Amino acid sequence: MMKETQDKERVAKSRKLFEQGEKYRQLKQYNQAIKCFRKSLNIVTVQPSAYAGLAMCYLNVSKINKARAEFNYAFQFSKYTTRSPDLKYNYAIFHRETGNINEAISYFKDKGDREIALRFDFTMGLTRYATSQKSMKLPAKIS
């Protein structure tokens, strides 16, 4: 029971650091964001979204090789979780920003060759807000 409590505390601490990293990234304070993402990953390593956040920070401070390496980790760990829908979208942005337009387009498309990720940009902010509201009731029962 004590180990379970400790694990929950570690995960909660890691999640808080991840969220701080995301806030810094959105404020374009990339070096602060990098520190938060790293601390979060030191606690819980299997976080594709944290690696993607790191990659986007490195992209924005022109450390392209570091960004690519962090995306490699993100994709490696995304095999173990389904909670990283932003990964392909961010990787598409990475390719677009580094001039690999055709590669970027392929990551903006789903398996049915539909440009689903292009619409992801419009819903991501709303989704993050909605999921952060603990008191908000879901519009439908999710089983």
Side-chain angles (χ1 to χ4, degrees):
M1 186 72 156
M2 185 159 190
K3 183 176 178 351
E4 184 178 314
T5 302
Q6 289 174 336
D7 287 345
K8 285 181 180 180
E9 289 172 359
R10 280 183 47 245
V11 169
K13 184 177 181 181
S14 178
R15 182 73 190 163
K16 184 175 180 180
L17 286 164
F18 169 79
E19 289 170 356
Q20 286 176 330
E22 275 298 303
K23 287 178 185 174
Y24 281 125
R25 185 171 74 92
Q26 291 170 5
L27 294 171
K28 299 182 181 182
Q29 295 178 9
Y30 300 115
N31 291 323
Q32 284 298 108
I34 289 168
K35 288 177 187 176
C36 289
F37 287 133
R38 283 277 171 232
K39 287 178 182 178
S40 177
L41 287 165
N42 284 337
I43 298 169
V44 177
T45 57
V46 181
Q47 296 186 69
S49 292
Y51 286 108
L54 270 174
M56 296 305 288
C57 289
Y58 284 130
L59 174 65
N60 283 292
V61 295
S62 301
K63 294 184 178 179
I64 305 304
N65 288 335
K66 281 191 170 193
R68 187 173 286 114
E70 297 304 336
F71 271 120
N72 286 338
Y73 285 124
F75 278 109
Q76 177 184 344
F77 286 119
S78 71
K79 296 174 187 173
Y80 304 108
T81 179
T82 59
R83 298 184 61 192
S84 54
D86 56 332
L87 181 56
K88 282 182 137 184
Y89 175 78
N90 285 325
Y91 199 52
I93 299 290
F94 169 77
H95 280 297
R96 183 189 70 195
E97 295 299 314
T98 56
N100 300 321
I101 303 303
N102 288 335
E103 191 73 15
I105 290 170
S106 73
Y107 279 94
F108 277 127
K109 294 183 177 183
D110 69 359
K111 291 182 181 180
D113 206 31
R114 297 170 297 198
E115 295 178 341
I116 301 298
L118 293 176
R119 289 176 272 170
F120 180 79
D121 195 29
F122 298 119
T123 60
M124 188 59 187
L126 179 61
T127 303
R128 283 190 176 152
Y129 174 78
T131 57
S132 72
Q133 302 303 305
K134 303 296 182 209
S135 63
M136 186 179 287
K137 294 186 188 229
L138 294 173
K141 184 176 180 180
I142 300 174
S143 54

